[in-house]
């Protein structure tokens, strides 16, 4: 019995040892799979404040979230508020702090957070590669970084270097790994269950200095360069297959084939070739549009949302187009059976104003348009024939891209807020120029332009600190170089406007930096003052992108290159600048409103962009 007892005891000890080894091995495997071997995740609540340390950086970082909300939030996404609707409302925001060294942070609201020093990768030089492989795939994209069950959507954040200013927060890419270094400030607004977006403002040049901009917010997205936009445009010609063909489809196909076989000509009357992608095809397409295009305007819809837009202010482009096309006898037909295109005559600005007065917000505005589409589809057979592909809308309000995305998703949308990152589709949608209208009698007054030899200022910018980008622009360049004139908002009186225009007329390059949204009226203002536009607005598709060669009269600078702005502009040869300036002068006629439309003016350019898009969709079935 004694021997049997000893053997039984040894067997139990053996099984216990196997169990312990198994637990240890499982623990190690789990930690390696999730990259937790050296990660430190701390989540500590201090009342309404949360301290989180996330280990996806070279130096461990602490995020401290403060609840600074002082007003009741509305039920629509604050990211969609327009320039006219911004207030001082504040929500949650994160502050990120370096914790490589032991330190106690004393926050302004009296909350303390303590972190302990722990050198990263000190004990295992290969640990960094293992961790990065757990975060990034071979293309350098982030896999999943989630906060609890609501986490950030795991669509991948591509190479953050291109979307953040290369100063305090930047990204370097070494083969399959990406490293984020520095400090940043992240503001999080309460979102619905559907989508929790990580949005970060751009950082300042010096990590020891910060900008107090509580409303600066930045969605991490991969910026699309102008070269990539060109590629997308060439790849975007998707055919539209109606449920049944018509005589109008055959007419459009004939026009498309006619344009395609147009030969290159050296000179088109009244047009300057270098500012066009293909001046010959544009000229032929424009000629066919004037000769053949017929548009039907739906009469349904009550004023002021329908048929009664505003003709002044920031969003007046949609109003001027509506008034000019409704009074046009060349293109408009009363019989919808004769129409190639169908116009949905609503004003996104008046929709916002009218429904906001009824305490209705974005979701209700979208539903309002859904009911309008249902009315049109129920009363007419034309919407159902193409599911709206031969219908178009012209809308300039910031919210237009959001509220039309679903009910009018197949339509040709001419939008001021032409943001690829927010649903704008190159090749289907077109960009509506933002023209700030001061007077209905003289929509775009003549600017006192100076010749290039009299332009003594290299670059100029002045404007309100809307959005995340402009405060960073001023932080880098305000009062830094004598030939870089950068200011905040100028006075709105007559003298302030005179000074603003004098700076613009005296500058070689005018900075057109995005505000809350990607579009800005400064582009058109720069063109009319003879100043080469410098567009700093990632993912913005410029107007008439399908026909104009924007690189012939403007400069595109990525938001990540703000710190290099002067070097970029100063490195442009004088010969190249003079060519750009000439392009600016030649393109002015295409951005001019006239109370009675003239050939190649802004009204016709908008209409042609819609016509040209429809031609590209037609296929020979």
């Amino acid at each position: 019995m004694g021997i049997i007892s000893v053997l039984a005891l040894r067997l139990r000890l053996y099984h216990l040892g196997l169990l312990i080894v198994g637990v240890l091995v499982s623990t190690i495997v789990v930690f390696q799979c999730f990259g937790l071997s050296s990660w430190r995740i701390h989540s500590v609540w201090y009342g309404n404040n949360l301290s989180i340390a996330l280990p996806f950086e070279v130096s461990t970082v602490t995020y401290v979230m403060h609840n600074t909300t002082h007003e009741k939030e509305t039920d629509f996404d604050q990211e969609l508020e327009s320039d006219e609707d911004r207030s001082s409302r504040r929500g949650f925001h994160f502050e990120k702090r370096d914790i490589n060294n032991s330190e106690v942070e004393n926050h302004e609201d009296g909350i303390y957070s303590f972190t302990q020093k722990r050198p990263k990768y000190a004990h295992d030089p290969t640990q960094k590669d293992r961790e990065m492989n757990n975060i990034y795939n071979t293309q350098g994209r982030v896999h999943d970084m989630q906060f609890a069950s609501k986490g950030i959507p795991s669509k991948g954040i591509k190479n953050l270097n291109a979307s953040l200013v290369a100063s305090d927060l930047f990204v370097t890419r070494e083969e399959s790994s990406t490293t984020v270094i520095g400090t940043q400030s992240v503001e999080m607004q309460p979102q619905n269950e559907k989508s929790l977006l990580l949005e970060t403002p751009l950082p300042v040049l010096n990590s020891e200095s910060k900008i107090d901009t509580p409303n600066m917010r930045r969605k991490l997205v991969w910026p699309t360069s102008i070269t990539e936009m060109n590629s997308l445009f060439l790849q975007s010609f998707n055919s539209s297959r109606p449920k049944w063909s018509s005589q109008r489809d055959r007419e459009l196909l004939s026009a498309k084939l006619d344009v395609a076989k147009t030969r290159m000509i050296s000179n088109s009357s009244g047009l300057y070739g270098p500012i066009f992608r293909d001046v010959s095809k544009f000229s032929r397409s424009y000629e066919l549009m004037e000769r053949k295009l017929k548009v039907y305007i739906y009469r349904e819809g009550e004023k002021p949302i329908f048929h009664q837009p505003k003709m002044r202010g920031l969003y007046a482009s949609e109003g001027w187009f509506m008034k000019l096309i409704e009074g046009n006898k060349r293109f408009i037909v009363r019989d919808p059976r004769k129409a190639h295109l169908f116009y949905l005559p609503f004003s996104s600005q008046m929709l916002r104003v009218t429904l906001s007065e009824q305490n209705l917000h974005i979701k209700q505005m979208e539903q309002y348009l859904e009911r309008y589409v249902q009315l049109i589809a129920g009363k007419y057979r034309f919407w159902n024939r193409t599911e709206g592909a031969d219908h178009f809308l012209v809308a300039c309000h910031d919210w237009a891209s959001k509220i039309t995305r679903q009910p009018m998703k197949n339509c040709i949308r001419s939008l001021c807020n032409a943001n690829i990152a927010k649903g704008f589709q190159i090749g289907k949608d077109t960009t509506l120029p933002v023209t700030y209208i001061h007077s209905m009698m003289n929509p775009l007054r003549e600017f006192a332009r100076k010749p290039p030899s009299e332009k003594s200022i290299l670059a100029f910018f002045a404007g309100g600190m809307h959005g995340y980008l402009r405060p960073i622009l001023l932080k880098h360049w305000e009062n830094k170089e004598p030939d870089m004139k950068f200011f905040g908002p100028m006075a709105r009186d007559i003298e302030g406007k005179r000074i603003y225009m004098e700076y613009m007329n005296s500058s070689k390059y005018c900075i057109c930096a995005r505000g809350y949204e990607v579009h800005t009226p400064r582009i058109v203002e720069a063109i009319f003052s003879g100043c080469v536009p410098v567009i700093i607005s990632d993912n913005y598709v410029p107007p008439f992108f399908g026909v104009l060669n924007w690189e012939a009269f403007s400069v595109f600078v990525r938001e990540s290159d703000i710190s290099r702005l002067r070097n970029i502009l100063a490195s442009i040869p004088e010969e190249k600048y003079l060519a750009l300036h000439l392009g600016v002068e030649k393109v002015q006629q295409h951005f001019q409103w006239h109370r009675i439309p003239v050939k190649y003016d802004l009204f016709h350019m908008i209409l042609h962009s819609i016509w040209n898009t429809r031609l590209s969709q037609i296929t020979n079935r």
Side-chain angles (χ1 to χ4, degrees), residues 376-395:
I376 295 299
K379 188 173 180 179
Y380 301 88
R381 62 190 178 96
F382 307 101
W383 177 279
N384 294 327
R385 190 181 74 89
T386 63
E387 296 182 340
D390 53 359
H391 289 57
F392 71 93
L393 61 97
V394 177

Side-chain angles (χ1 to χ4, degrees), residues 61 65 113 148 171 179 218 221 242 264-265 331 358 361 446 462 483-484 493 502 513 517 533 544 606:
V61 173
M65 184 172 71
S113 64
V171 175
T179 304
R218 171 69 163 149
V221 292
M264 179 69 70
I265 57 178
F331 298 112
Q358 303 173 20
H361 298 294
E446 290 295 326
D483 59 353
M484 300 278 282
D493 56 16
E502 177 61 27
E517 301 295 345
F544 317 131
I606 295 171

Side-chain angles (χ1 to χ4, degrees), residues 259-276:
V259 173
K261 67 182 182 182
T262 301
R263 294 183 178 181
M264 179 69 70
I265 57 178
S266 58
N267 182 35
S268 294
S269 177
L271 298 173
Y272 180 63
I275 64 174
F276 290 90

Side-chain angles (χ1 to χ4, degrees), residues 5-172:
S5 299
V6 170
L7 290 176
L9 178 61
R10 288 183 176 180
L11 184 61
R12 286 195 294 270
L13 292 174
Y14 176 74
H15 288 163
L16 180 61
L18 289 179
L19 179 61
I20 294 173
V21 171
V23 171
L24 290 176
V25 171
S26 300
T27 303
I28 292 172
V29 170
V30 170
F31 270 64
Q32 287 182 342
C33 288
F34 290 95
L36 297 174
S37 56
S38 64
W39 286 20
R40 295 182 298 132
I41 301 181
H42 309 287
S43 178
V44 183
W45 282 97
Y46 302 91
N48 288 328
N49 301 275
L50 171 65
S51 177
I52 305 175
L54 296 178
F56 53 90
E57 309 202 330
V58 170
S59 58
T60 310
V61 173
T62 293
Y63 282 84
V64 181
M65 184 172 71
H66 308 278
N67 184 352
T68 58
T69 304
H70 299 296
E71 297 185 30
K72 180 180 178 181
E73 296 291 339
T74 56
D75 59 354
F76 54 90
D77 296 338
Q78 188 175 352
E79 67 162 310
L80 292 168
E81 289 183 278
S82 66
D83 286 359
E84 294 184 347
D85 302 321
R86 306 296 181 179
S87 66
S88 60
R89 289 192 293 114
R90 301 174 64 185
F92 293 103
H93 72 276
F94 285 99
E95 290 182 4
K96 188 166 82 173
R97 307 177 187 277
D98 191 351
I99 57 171
N100 264 353
N101 299 316
S102 299
E103 57 183 326
V104 176
E105 298 284 357
N106 183 2
H107 308 301
E108 293 180 358
D109 53 6
I111 300 301
Y112 295 83
S113 64
F114 174 78
T115 52
Q116 184 179 3
K117 179 180 179 181
R118 181 176 179 181
K120 198 166 189 179
Y121 314 125
H123 62 285
D124 184 0
T126 65
Q127 179 180 329
K128 173 182 175 180
D129 294 334
R130 291 202 307 272
E131 289 191 13
M132 291 304 171
N133 286 334
N134 285 329
I135 302 175
Y136 300 95
N137 61 16
T138 55
Q139 284 76 36
R141 297 181 180 181
V142 178
H143 282 300
D144 294 340
M145 294 187 295
Q146 297 185 340
F147 291 174
S149 62
K150 284 175 110 177
I152 302 162
S154 58
K155 295 180 180 178
I157 305 174
K158 307 177 185 177
N159 191 359
L160 306 185
N161 181 37
S163 62
L164 297 172
V165 166
S167 54
D168 287 337
L169 179 61
F170 63 94
V171 175
T172 59

Side-chain angles (χ1 to χ4, degrees), residues 525-550:
E525 290 177 351
I527 288 174
F528 275 91
S529 64
C531 185
V532 177
V534 179
I535 301 174
I536 309 179
S537 182
D538 289 351
N539 300 308
Y540 175 62
V541 183
F544 317 131
F545 186 73
V547 296
L548 290 182
N549 175 22
W550 275 82

Side-chain angles (χ1 to χ4, degrees), residues 219 314 319 551:
K219 179 180 177 181
L314 183 62
E551 292 172 285

